Amino acid sequence: MSAPDWSSLVGTRVLDLSRLLPGPFATSLLADLGADVVKVEDPGRPDPVRHDREAFARLHRNKRSVSLDLHGAAGRRELLRLVAAADAVVENHRPGVLDALGLGYRELSRANPRIVLCSLTGYGQTGPYADKPGHDLNFLGLSGFFATPGGRDGRTARPGTRVGDLIGAMYAALALAVAVPGARRTGRGQHLDLSLTEAATAWCAPFALAARDLADPTDSSLVQGDNDLFETADGRLLSLATFEDKFWHAFRTALAPEFPALADDAWDARAHRTAARHQVGRLLGEVFRARELAWWQPRLDALNAPWAPVHTHARQLLDDPHARARDLFADPPDAGPPQVRFPVRFGQGLESFRRPAPAPGEHTAEVLAQWLAD
């Protein structure tokens, strides 16, 4: 199965020296969209994610694998030969590691003046934190993610999804998709210095800064009583977001006969509901706990309310009727674990599962012959 012929990334060659999550996720986006991504692994020390078969399959579909020992002179020479035929290199070592190997941007650009090197690190190549070790939770901690209250109680919680890593990966993919065509046009490459913390801050700070002058961040207008998660009588969760006044009015007037406390029109204006966030939130908590989710679903749907069930188990996610109707999940051709397709539906079509994740060094001879023959 071939890459989409309409994609501007077809023909783009990316050497992926990264491991774990952020770099591989960035290059997986490029690979899905048609780039020729070659994962470079040490033959004696492959990517640790290989120990998790499902995670590796999702991160490395549509890629090829080459084994090179970059700690040896022969492996470094071979890599530089591949760099000469490549458009981009992606890596996530600590600052200075590639330089120490003789594979920093200066050396890469000597091999190929239009090469784009994208370095993903926790804190960037410079600054007082540059050499600090860190992981997703550390990056989020500095980003402002926890400075915006998630609810009226102001409590913060560790997210289960590696949000900081994935945000940075998406910025890396976007930056590469812009920088590579620019390098082709000008003949000059560049070094992309991507800090995962700064990428997360770009998402989080606009919301955190909105509360910068508040003594209590829960006084922010972003914290509301009718824009929250609520538990139903059977222990399920649903999300309600009656942000606009029309939704709140339709909700409360339709349900007031069943729940008389909703007959009060004191909160029909957004500003009034926000000011009374704690009172509104307590009222809605009592209302939703009075009935099971199966009771709420048809009534909220009939009101055209902005609501949704909250999936708290993977089976619920896989069985969601909307996700199934849009073929969001699929079993890859190699009968591997279910995967999410690229989350944009292109009018000209995109097959997200063209090639299964490679075995270590599976395509070494093939890539060397193909790239170095051009």
Side-chain angles (χ1 to χ4, degrees):
M1 202 172 294
S2 60
D5 59 5
W6 51 262
S7 173
S8 64
L9 289 176
V10 171
T12 299
R13 292 173 169 177
V14 179
L15 290 169
D16 184 2
L17 276 58
S18 65
R19 293 152 59 92
L20 300 175
L21 178 58
F25 184 66
T27 56
S28 77
L29 299 177
L30 300 176
D32 275 4
L33 291 173
D36 183 5
V37 177
V38 172
K39 182 172 181 60
V40 178
E41 294 180 89
D42 187 315
R45 211 166 56 97
D47 192 329
V49 177
R50 284 192 178 276
H51 295 298
D52 184 338
R53 176 176 170 270
E54 291 199 11
F56 192 85
R58 294 185 183 110
L59 285 170
H60 296 287
R61 69 187 185 209
N62 301 326
K63 301 179 185 179
R64 296 187 285 177
S65 173
V66 163
S67 289
L68 292 177
D69 178 8
L70 301 184
H71 291 88
R76 292 194 295 271
R77 284 196 301 271
E78 206 76 330
L79 180 73
L80 290 173
R81 293 178 67 205
L82 289 173
V83 167
D87 295 289
V89 175
V90 176
E91 62 97 13
N92 62 351
H93 296 87
R94 293 255 201 111
V97 169
L98 281 191
D99 289 312
L101 289 172
L103 296 172
Y105 177 67
R106 184 176 301 177
E107 288 75 19
L108 300 186
S109 62
R110 286 198 187 105
N112 182 351
R114 61 178 182 80
I115 198 70
V116 175
L117 171 63
C118 181
S119 297
L120 294 89
T121 57
Y123 307 106
Q125 299 293 305
T126 61
Y129 298 165
D131 293 325
K132 282 173 61 70
H135 289 291
D136 181 269
L137 192 59
N138 310 125
F139 314 147
L140 286 181
L142 289 171
S143 72
F145 181 88
F146 298 106
T148 302
R152 289 168 282 115
D153 59 9
R155 288 185 299 177
T156 58
R158 174 186 177 275
T161 301
R162 303 294 185 261
V163 182
D165 286 347
L166 299 178
I167 292 172
M170 294 174 74
Y171 275 109
L174 174 61
L176 284 161
V178 172
V180 167
R184 286 176 177 160
R185 188 179 68 252
T186 65
R188 298 189 309 277
Q190 58 179 308
H191 188 184
L192 308 180
D193 173 6
L194 191 142
S195 157
L196 296 170
T197 298
E198 290 170 6
T201 302
W203 272 30
C204 302
F207 299 96
L209 293 177
R212 66 187 180 278
D213 296 324
L214 298 176
D216 182 356
T218 62
D219 290 335
S220 167
S221 61
L222 296 171
V223 181
Q224 298 155 3
D226 59 328
N227 187 8
D228 210 338
L229 306 183
F230 299 96
E231 187 175 356
T232 59
D234 53 343
R236 292 290 304 276
L237 291 176
L238 62 78
S239 61
L240 182 76
T242 52
F243 184 84
E244 294 91 344
D245 292 341
K246 64 178 182 180
F247 289 125
W248 170 260
H249 188 265
F251 170 82
R252 76 161 189 82
T253 54
L255 292 167
E258 185 85 23
F259 304 98
L262 291 173
D264 192 341
D265 65 359
W267 305 319
D268 279 359
R270 170 75 267 159
H272 296 160
R273 291 197 300 285
T274 300
R277 56 177 68 84
H278 297 290
Q279 192 173 352
V280 171
R282 284 194 296 269
L283 169 61
L284 290 176
E286 294 171 3
V287 166
F288 285 115
R289 278 194 298 271
R291 299 288 185 274
E292 296 184 349
L293 181 65
W295 188 93
W296 283 109
Q297 183 161 355
R299 286 158 179 81
L300 294 174
D301 283 345
L303 292 173
N304 195 33
W307 86 282
V310 175
H311 296 326
T312 55
H313 192 280
R315 286 303 333 169
Q316 296 166 345
L317 188 63
L318 290 168
D319 293 338
D320 184 277
H322 190 76
R324 291 171 69 90
R326 288 181 59 84
D327 297 320
L328 182 58
F329 297 94
D331 294 323
D334 64 341
Q339 295 188 30
V340 183
R341 63 165 169 79
F342 192 87
V344 177
R345 300 188 74 162
F346 293 88
Q348 294 189 45
L350 175 70
E351 176 52 63
S352 296
F353 312 108
R354 301 185 302 275
R355 183 197 296 268
E362 179 181 346
H363 305 97
T364 301
E366 175 183 301
V367 170
L368 292 175
Q370 185 183 51
W371 282 27
L372 303 183
D374 292 352

